[in-house]
Amino acid sequence: MKSSELTGNEREAVAGEIDPFEAALRLGDVKGRSPWEDAWHRLLKNRAAVTAAIIMGVMILVVVIGPWVISWDMDYTDWDHTNSPPSLANGHWFGTDAVGRDILVRTLEGGRISLLVGFVATIVSLLIGVSYGAIAGYYGGVTDRVMMRLVDIIYALPFMFFVILLMVVFGRNIVLIFVAIGAVNWLDMARIVRGQTLSLKRMEFVEAARACGVENRDIIRRHIVPNLLGVVMVYVTLTIPQVILVESFLSFLGLGVQEPMSSWGALVSDGAQDMESAPWTLVFPAVFLTVTLYCFNYIGDGLRDALDPKDRL
Amino acid sequence: MISRRPVPGIGLALGVALLLSACGGEGESTPIDRAHRAQPVTPVFTDAGLPDPSVLAEEQVLHRDNGEEPQTLDPHLAEGVPAGNILRDLFEGLTAESPDGRVVPGAAMRWNISRDARTYTFYLRREATWSNGDPLRAEDFVYSFRRSVDPRTASNSANMLLPIENAHDVLVGRETPELLGVEALDEYTLQIRLSDPTPYFLALLTHSSTFPVHRASVEQHGARFSRPGNLVSNGAFVLADWQVRSRIVLTRNDRYWNAANTLLQRVVYYPFEDLSASLKLFRSGNLHWTYEVPNNQFHWLEQHYPDELVVSPWLGSYFFGFNLTREPFVADPQLRLALVLAIDRELITEKVTQFGEQPSFSLVPPGIGEYETQVPEYAGWTQAERNEEARRLYAAAGYGMDEPLRIEIRYNTSENHKKVALAIASLWKQVLGVQATLINEEWKVFLQNRSGRVLTQVFRAGWIGDYADPYSFLQLFRTNDGQNDYGYSNSLYDSLLEQVASERIPGRRRRLMQEAERVLLEEVPIIPVYTYVTKRLVDPHLRGWDDNVMDHHYSKHMYLLRSQNAPTPVAEAP
Amino acid sequence: MTLDQGLVRQLTRRLLGVVPTLLLLITVVFFLVRVAPGGPFDTEKALPPEIQANLEAKYHLDEPLLQQYFRYLGQILVLDFGPSFQYKDWTVNELIAQGFPVSLTIGGVAMLLGFVFGVGIGVGAALRQNSAADFTTMGFAMLGVSIPNFVVAPVLILLFAVYAGWLPAGGWDWSWRSAVLPVVTLALPVIAYIARLMRGSMIEVLHSNFIRTARAKGLPERQVILRHALKPALLPVISYMGPATAALITGSVVVERIFSIPGLGSYFVQGALNRDYTLVMGVVLFYGVLIIALNVVVDLLYSILNPKIAYEEL
């Protein structure tokens, strides 16, 4: 591999994360555990990541099932108990907001939206980023240079401003939030994937495929992209929390999802306004939000460690 | 392999504990406890009605939150409340206002109004000067009025001057500014001719678009004439410093004709946009006067800051509008009435807006002179009766639980609008079964959609009076008026308004306006909800101001009292 | 290779690349902001059409769009961003000139703090990998990236300004006291992020062959860390810092709002919401130039820290 083909970031990425697959692929690794199995076992031994994953699983379960179980509707306004602190007596365990809506059910419904935004926007950025990066890296040369120059230009666009304009131009709907955040977030992914692809395409199995006359498109799809999986997974788990934070920032600016829908970000930013007069409107959604971001970060770190050969010392 | 990471629980527990401790401790007693706050001495007045010097604080510097950065300090280009507040301190029009909002002589010492109420003759104060010492003459006003309506100035508040003869033709460029009906009869006498009798004309003259500007400095500095150092003004204060989006500092104008009675040495205006931030600045002693207070916190504020919280009626109506050019609201006033009736206004003002807003069933807010706000019959019913009637009308219009009305409620991004819209949607759902969808739009988009009348069905509206006259509200519903986002059109109403415009006998004019409001309300183009209040925190040391429905508070009337225990001033610049 | 022609050639090439980048940026933003519904002079008090026309004529908004576009390009050539539509007494140049020093101060100090503390904590944690100290600091660091700053900021204000009264609750007067809370709020997530990056890369470097060799040679641990491990471990931090610094300096919208600070960040949001076309264009362009400049700096730092990288591929 010609090192001059890579920038520092990519070099580091290449050095850091591709080796296990490379090694495995080279050796064929018939008898021993596959590198995936290896990684899986390492992951399972990482108690932090496992705990985080379990909490996350429970969280997702609660958020998905909870709103069906709870007797309050998320848009029901209980006029007898507006701004009520948490209370077992009136059935609002987490209290109510200024118009008497149950914070518990809104926190759970908000969680659905936040997680949905997190996942979908990340998938959007993933789709764009992986295909873009893989194509740029695989074809190289002028294609690569033009494509990467474009990424540089978009980098120079202030991200927040861009998202705000999109929201303003196209109105406020949740699909747009996915697309807007995803469409801006793919840049990093594209860079990482391009770096990986640059190294992958010089591997023997790719050379072999090419020698056999397999079309470029199929090589990218069958050989390059699957081998990017490790990097991509790490990236995904670390991007989801970022996206959730971005959504909360949009909500702070009043550009989040439409009422009566909500998100953790919207609830937390509303609650932060009244943190003294009605702390319960802040604390509950904030804890859910923080725990979730925490878990994703730990899972992401765990995955990275598990997929990192340097740890097998 | 040994576990390499901590169990997340540890960090989590810490994080949660931190959050809880940060929020939990706040309900209890804190250093800002009422007993610890400095209290002002009891004011003592001199025979002239001024506060005795012995009760005044040593440092007379007012720190005043102004809500946002003014768009400009050119009085003729200015619009909006923040600019208006500062300009009323810097400049003085022909008339001014007393603390309680009465029109009083300003740069003009007195005036005559002709028999047909179309010609005003103003006699200027001979002792009045500009802040650079130049005398203030009638010619200055002539120049300024012309500049204000000159199309080249491109003022967006020039329509305030439309009652003046030829103003419209000048504004659209059909006539030269020289033809405007403003004339200097001599050095100190100014005559203004109006095209219609305009009983509120003297009140209009407190608006910044009628303020005089100093010709020589405008011509010398051009667009930069409103900068500190360049700005020559004739009010009680002069511009000393302007840091964009940080502060605007005014100092006492020693050349103001009434400078002897200006007690404040300096006024610092801050453009704090975030209401919670402004509240915290007030609480930590950095402000004497907030622009507003956060919406949800009435009870908290009432409990912790009862002496500081000031709520007073404001000349504004908060209502929602129907788009009468779009189904389902084109023909059927009964359906609209059902929706109007089904809203429990007391619930909204008590539980949602909380600050003492008055439930309203009309367009014109109370408190304008002798005008009797028109109140429909159902205003006297109980809410249960209204709900029953609403259900009957709703069913009669062909809707029911199986076939609910599905409509959209549009509002612009704002915590308060959101809450009221939520409450309305919820009440409609609970009383009638209406399926209302909320649509929150960013301001400019909202404005465009609202005036476009293509997308809207029910939308947030409301109006703050430009001057204390019902006409300011009624004119919104004239056929094809620029503000008529409702598509309301009624020839009887239009002709009533025309009669109002040319009527010079106050009693008859009032009755015409009352009739117009009655006509309007019968056709239910709007959903009145409540009349506005202003709500803010004011340091009890600050005196000299009073409640008024226009919410105009001149700094020249204010002064700071000494604290009981310390003679030192309470506030420091943040 | 000497520090030298390669570098000079590279820099020239990059600078030449800046022009088309900026041109594209201008074009995209120019047309994007004009697509947004509503105009700069729409207000609640609907203007009579005549006044609207007067206003549009004054700001050349009545011209065909392409003509406006080329007029704007012409202005940019002489570095004139035009008058702001919203803040009518000021030009965009003046607004940026007033806002940038504030943003630079807050953002710059926050970044500096973030770097110093982040690297320190990261290295410390890496050296004591898996110790209680490592777990605790990293747990806190995780917290720093998991709580939105619009929660952190009001909590800090309540604690240190409202209750304790040590610091102002907001506002800006160029005193260090008015800078403390906003800087801390901005720096916390940066410290957390850099600490995590640093810890990860440091651990990786410490496990690499050349460090093992250095240790095997019996070099003192201190020297191994400072002279050999630190530099390569800093690389990912450096590449993070380029865009992050630009974002901090220009984009601290939340912090500016909560602390009422007159920086540049709010102009991105306010400008867009007010359809203040010239202001938006001005700050976006300014940001573009800043981020390009910072990327060049990052690349230079990169090549200094890691001389193996060929300039051609920067």
Side-chain angles (χ1 to χ4, degrees):
Chain A
M1 171 176 16
K2 270 199 323 206
S3 62
S4 64
E5 295 275 353
L6 300 171
T7 72
N9 317 19
E10 292 149 7
R11 181 195 312 283
E12 168 220 341
V14 170
E17 284 161 12
I18 201 62
D19 293 9
F21 312 109
E22 187 187 340
L25 292 160
R26 284 226 186 98
L27 296 172
D29 204 357
V30 193
K31 288 173 215 160
R33 294 185 299 194
S34 82
W36 287 107
E37 251 175 273
D38 251 3
W40 179 242
H41 281 276
R42 274 198 301 278
L43 186 63
L44 284 185
K45 282 188 192 151
N46 185 334
R47 275 209 316 233
V50 171
T51 316
I54 292 172
I55 295 179
M56 204 57 245
V58 173
M59 178 79 83
I60 292 177
L61 217 65
V62 166
V63 157
V64 171
I65 296 172
W68 288 323
V69 179
I70 296 167
S71 54
W72 304 108
D73 273 343
M74 71 176 303
D75 60 345
Y76 178 78
T77 49
D78 185 348
W79 292 112
D80 297 329
H81 302 105
T82 53
N83 255 327
S84 152
S87 151
L88 290 177
N90 65 22
H92 298 290
W93 297 350
F94 282 14
T96 61
D97 68 6
V99 285
R101 296 180 297 181
D102 186 65
I103 298 284
L104 172 58
V105 72
R106 290 187 65 72
T107 303
L108 298 182
E109 290 271 8
R112 286 181 172 183
I113 301 290
S114 280
L115 290 174
L116 201 64
V117 170
F119 281 113
V120 179
T122 303
I123 288 169
V124 170
S125 78
L126 195 70
L127 290 178
I128 306 177
V130 169
S131 35
Y132 197 95
I135 290 170
Y138 183 77
Y139 287 98
V142 181
T143 320
D144 179 33
R145 222 167 292 152
V146 170
M147 288 175 83
M148 284 300 122
R149 175 55 61 191
L150 197 68
V151 168
D152 286 345
I153 291 174
I154 303 176
Y155 250 116
L157 201 72
F159 156 77
M160 224 42 245
F161 163 78
F162 184 67
V163 175
I164 290 168
L165 264 193
L166 284 180
M167 307 294 292
V168 162
V169 173
F170 297 107
R172 203 160 306 184
N173 71 59
I174 190 163
V175 177
L176 191 79
I177 296 180
F178 300 152
V179 176
I181 299 178
V184 183
N185 244 320
W186 62 273
L187 299 169
D188 287 320
M189 186 80 248
R191 286 191 165 175
I192 296 169
V193 166
R194 168 182 170 268
Q196 298 284 43
T197 312
L198 277 180
S199 65
L200 273 174
K201 77 171 180 189
R202 290 190 176 72
M203 306 241 159
E204 283 142 19
F205 67 96
V206 176
E207 303 270 356
R210 205 177 301 149
C212 295
V214 181
E215 277 185 47
N216 280 339
R217 211 178 37 186
D218 291 328
I219 295 180
I220 292 180
R221 221 175 50 214
R222 293 216 195 111
H223 299 284
I224 306 280
V225 172
N227 281 301
L228 294 170
L229 213 57
V231 197
V232 165
M233 268 168 52
V234 173
Y235 169 82
V236 164
T237 40
L238 294 177
T239 301
I240 291 174
Q242 278 176 30
V243 169
I244 293 178
L245 267 183
V246 168
E247 193 280 333
S248 75
F249 178 63
L250 278 180
S251 296
F252 173 79
L253 293 179
L255 293 166
V257 291
Q258 288 282 7
E259 290 285 345
M261 272 198 285
S262 195
S263 69
W264 284 334
L267 292 168
V268 169
S269 96
D270 281 356
Q273 302 291 317
D274 305 326
M275 61 167 64
E276 279 177 290
S277 55
W280 59 91
T281 57
L282 170 66
V283 171
F284 293 109
V287 167
F288 274 73
L289 175 69
T290 307
V291 168
T292 303
L293 298 186
Y294 237 81
C295 289
F296 272 116
N297 280 319
Y298 272 112
I299 296 171
D301 283 4
L303 271 178
R304 188 168 49 203
D305 293 348
L307 294 167
D308 186 344
K310 294 266 160 64
D311 276 0
R312 284 185 295 178
L313 292 170
Chain B
M1 196 175 81
I2 308 158
S3 154
R4 305 178 47 251
R5 294 286 173 143
V7 182
I10 301 168
L12 283 180
L14 278 170
V16 173
L18 201 75
L19 251 172
L20 286 172
S21 67
C23 306
E26 289 145 16
E28 294 125 46
S29 79
T30 57
I32 47 111
D33 213 302
R34 277 186 69 196
H36 292 86
R37 292 204 290 269
Q39 295 298 320
V41 294
T42 319
V44 181
F45 294 95
T46 61
D47 295 339
L50 289 170
D52 191 88
S54 66
V55 299
L56 290 179
E58 212 167 309
E59 198 186 59
Q60 293 288 328
V61 181
L62 168 62
H63 296 277
R64 187 169 171 177
D65 178 17
N66 203 21
E68 60 181 90
E69 177 76 8
Q71 297 193 359
T72 169
L73 288 184
D74 179 338
H76 299 160
L77 295 183
E79 55 177 332
V81 177
N85 286 337
I86 301 175
L87 289 169
R88 274 189 296 274
D89 282 353
L90 286 174
F91 292 91
E92 185 168 59
L94 292 165
T95 61
E97 289 153 288
S98 62
D100 60 355
R102 279 174 298 116
V103 173
V104 296
M109 178 171 55
R110 61 191 176 87
W111 49 82
N112 286 334
I113 305 172
S114 69
R115 201 163 249 285
D116 66 354
R118 285 191 168 87
T119 308
Y120 284 64
T121 311
F122 293 92
Y123 302 95
L124 304 191
R125 291 178 196 278
R126 286 167 194 256
E127 71 274 29
T129 65
W130 291 97
S131 55
N132 65 353
D134 290 355
L136 179 70
R137 305 255 165 77
E139 268 308 323
D140 288 315
F141 279 95
V142 175
Y143 168 77
S144 301
F145 275 94
R146 286 177 184 168
R147 179 177 184 268
S148 198
V149 290
D150 191 330
R152 282 169 303 175
T153 309
S155 159
N156 28 5
S157 43
N159 44 352
M160 295 296 281
L161 298 176
L162 286 179
I164 301 179
E165 195 175 272
N166 289 334
H168 186 259
D169 288 347
V170 174
L171 196 63
V172 302
R174 224 178 291 147
E175 300 282 6
T176 59
E178 285 70 36
L179 286 172
L180 187 71
V182 179
E183 197 182 339
L185 299 182
D186 65 42
E187 255 192 325
Y188 294 103
T189 313
L190 182 79
Q191 192 175 71
I192 301 181
R193 290 182 305 278
L194 306 181
S195 35
D196 279 319
T198 312
Y200 51 89
F201 185 66
L202 288 173
L204 277 191
L205 294 174
T206 63
H207 187 267
S208 67
S209 58
T210 73
F211 288 172
V213 292
H214 186 252
R215 180 171 194 163
S217 52
V218 171
E219 283 170 356
Q220 187 193 339
H221 300 292
R224 294 160 169 260
F225 91 94
S226 55
R227 303 286 178 89
N230 295 351
L231 186 66
V232 175
S233 61
N234 72 326
F237 295 89
V238 289
L239 181 62
D241 189 20
W242 183 356
Q243 306 286 328
V244 178
R245 290 179 46 244
S246 177
R247 72 194 58 217
I248 291 180
V249 182
L250 315 185
T251 50
R252 209 172 89 105
N253 176 6
D254 295 329
R255 291 196 165 106
Y256 178 59
W257 62 269
N258 198 14
N261 290 335
T262 314
L263 295 171
L264 290 177
Q265 285 297 332
R266 263 191 319 144
V267 182
V268 189
Y269 279 100
Y270 299 95
F272 297 144
E273 289 174 12
D274 190 281
L275 296 182
S276 332
S278 173
L279 171 61
K280 293 188 186 85
L281 280 154
F282 181 89
R283 291 169 59 191
S284 49
N286 299 118
L287 288 173
H288 296 114
W289 180 279
T290 71
Y291 184 72
E292 221 188 315
V293 287
N295 271 308
N296 281 351
Q297 303 184 6
F298 177 72
H299 295 293
W300 190 89
L301 287 169
E302 201 189 28
Q303 189 187 342
H304 292 84
Y305 290 87
D307 301 337
E308 287 84 355
L309 182 62
V310 176
V311 178
S312 75
W314 196 11
L315 190 68
S317 291
Y318 189 98
F319 51 89
F320 280 69
F322 290 111
N323 180 359
L324 304 175
T325 64
R326 195 181 160 204
E327 289 301 347
F329 300 121
V330 177
D332 196 354
Q334 301 307 309
L335 175 63
R336 299 199 292 270
L337 185 59
L339 294 177
V340 167
L341 289 171
I343 295 170
D344 186 344
R345 285 158 184 75
E346 296 208 345
L347 193 72
I348 289 180
T349 52
E350 260 171 41
K351 306 249 169 167
V352 180
T353 62
Q354 296 178 4
F355 277 89
E357 289 85 354
Q358 286 306 306
S360 166
F361 291 90
S362 333
L363 169 67
V364 180
I368 306 181
E370 293 169 52
Y371 183 85
E372 286 167 29
T373 293
Q374 298 304 297
V375 182
E377 187 201 344
Y378 47 80
W381 303 352
T382 64
Q383 187 57 39
E385 288 167 345
R386 283 193 285 261
N387 285 349
E388 196 178 318
E389 177 68 2
R391 281 189 211 102
R392 192 185 68 76
L393 293 170
Y394 184 68
Y399 298 97
M401 283 300 165
D402 310 328
E403 253 178 90
L405 173 68
R406 287 172 204 280
I407 43 173
E408 292 173 346
I409 306 177
R410 243 163 246 271
Y411 61 99
N412 57 296
T413 310
S414 138
E415 188 60 29
N416 186 50
H417 300 333
K418 181 179 89 181
K419 282 192 305 179
V420 177
L422 276 169
I424 288 180
S426 154
L427 287 166
W428 282 348
K429 191 178 179 184
Q430 286 168 10
V431 175
L432 301 174
V434 172
Q435 298 287 333
T437 313
L438 298 183
I439 299 185
N440 170 6
E441 288 177 331
E442 177 260 330
W443 180 231
K444 297 267 178 179
V445 179
F446 175 74
L447 284 179
Q448 196 178 50
N449 288 341
R450 196 168 77 172
S451 61
R453 300 202 299 243
V454 176
L455 293 173
T456 47
Q457 290 183 317
V458 174
F459 52 88
R460 203 280 302 174
W463 192 252
I464 311 281
D466 287 323
Y467 39 88
D469 190 276
Y471 193 73
S472 177
F473 292 85
L474 294 170
Q475 46 120 7
L476 303 175
F477 296 86
R478 205 167 22 199
T479 306
N480 294 330
D481 186 275
Q483 320 272 16
N484 190 338
D485 300 329
Y486 321 87
Y488 180 73
S489 175
N490 179 328
S491 51
L492 173 61
Y493 186 80
D494 291 347
S495 81
L496 279 168
L497 283 200
E498 254 170 58
Q499 294 174 51
V500 169
S502 56
E503 181 55 65
R504 65 187 171 82
I505 299 168
R508 214 182 289 166
R509 182 171 178 275
R510 202 164 56 232
R511 279 193 293 280
L512 285 168
M513 291 195 292
Q514 286 169 190
E515 173 67 20
E517 188 181 9
R518 202 155 50 235
V519 169
L520 183 84
L521 290 176
E522 259 166 35
E523 298 201 63
V524 209
I526 57 167
I527 308 167
V529 183
Y530 60 81
T531 55
Y532 276 102
V533 292
T534 57
K535 42 188 196 277
R536 62 167 57 91
L537 292 168
V538 181
D539 192 312
H541 294 78
L542 185 70
R543 298 293 167 90
W545 57 275
D546 200 351
D547 293 343
N548 64 70
V549 290
M550 297 300 292
D551 197 33
H552 289 174
H553 302 280
Y554 293 68
S555 302
K556 66 177 177 184
H557 298 135
M558 303 181 191
Y559 52 89
L560 287 160
L561 290 179
R562 194 162 53 80
S563 283
Q564 271 168 11
N565 19 17
T568 45
V570 282
E572 263 175 57
Chain C
M1 196 176 338
T2 46
L3 193 88
D4 50 6
Q5 299 156 328
L7 186 62
V8 172
R9 211 173 57 227
Q10 171 56 24
L11 274 181
T12 335
R13 233 181 66 186
R14 279 204 80 126
L15 287 178
L16 286 179
V18 168
V19 176
T21 306
L22 289 181
L23 191 68
L24 199 72
L25 190 64
I26 293 172
T27 313
V28 169
V29 178
F30 183 92
F31 290 101
L32 204 61
V33 289
R34 277 167 169 79
V35 171
F41 305 115
D42 292 353
T43 63
E44 179 148 39
K45 314 207 160 164
L47 298 176
E50 298 85 14
I51 299 183
Q52 186 87 32
N54 294 344
L55 274 168
E56 285 179 358
K58 184 171 172 182
Y59 291 101
H60 305 292
L61 290 175
D62 52 345
E63 292 171 358
L65 202 55
L66 266 184
Q67 194 179 336
Q68 291 183 43
Y69 173 67
F70 285 112
R71 174 190 294 281
Y72 188 75
L73 286 186
Q75 281 183 6
I76 291 297
L77 283 182
V78 291
L79 294 179
D80 173 13
F81 290 135
S84 162
F85 293 170
Q86 171 78 9
Y87 305 107
K88 295 199 176 81
D89 296 356
W90 306 92
T91 64
V92 173
N93 295 49
E94 288 170 325
L95 291 175
I96 294 178
Q98 288 203 27
F100 181 60
V102 181
S103 296
L104 183 67
T105 310
I106 295 182
V109 175
M111 199 63 200
L112 200 71
L113 284 182
F115 182 77
V116 172
F117 284 96
V119 168
I121 294 173
V123 171
L127 292 180
R128 293 172 193 76
Q129 197 186 346
N130 299 334
S131 71
D134 178 20
F135 295 158
T136 322
T137 46
M138 283 301 115
F140 268 109
M142 205 76 100
L143 203 65
V145 286
S146 301
I147 301 183
N149 51 3
F150 53 78
V151 176
V152 175
V155 169
L156 289 180
I157 297 181
L158 279 177
L159 293 180
F160 294 99
V162 177
Y163 298 153
W166 295 333
L167 294 163
W172 180 254
D173 58 3
W174 284 106
S175 69
W176 66 270
R177 296 179 72 240
S178 67
V180 173
L181 291 181
V183 164
V184 169
T185 310
L186 270 185
L188 282 178
V190 181
I191 293 175
Y193 201 90
I194 291 185
R196 295 184 57 206
L197 266 183
M198 193 65 205
R199 178 181 178 276
S201 68
M202 195 70 188
I203 288 173
E204 200 174 306
V205 171
L206 287 177
H207 289 158
S208 66
N209 289 331
F210 76 96
I211 292 295
R212 264 181 280 175
T213 315
R215 277 186 181 143
K217 277 201 268 174
L219 288 178
E221 185 66 14
R222 199 184 164 75
Q223 204 177 337
V224 171
I225 306 289
L226 290 181
R227 193 165 300 166
H228 298 283
L230 199 57
K231 264 205 219 164
L234 274 176
L235 289 178
V237 174
I238 299 290
S239 60
Y240 159 78
M241 277 179 68
T245 308
L248 261 196
I249 287 177
T250 52
S252 50
V253 183
V254 174
V255 168
E256 282 182 23
R257 193 182 161 87
I258 294 180
F259 291 99
S260 309
I261 286 171
L264 279 187
S266 329
Y267 289 143
F268 287 97
V269 178
Q270 284 305 317
L273 295 184
N274 291 326
R275 310 291 188 275
D276 192 339
Y277 300 148
T278 44
L279 182 60
V280 161
M281 298 291 301
V283 287
V284 169
L285 255 178
F286 187 80
Y287 176 85
V289 171
L290 193 71
I291 203 164
I292 291 168
L294 282 167
N295 276 337
V296 172
V297 171
V298 164
D299 290 345
L300 282 179
L301 279 177
Y302 229 103
S303 61
I304 290 166
L305 289 174
N306 189 355
K308 280 180 292 179
I309 292 173
Y311 294 119
E312 275 69 25
E313 284 300 327
L314 278 178

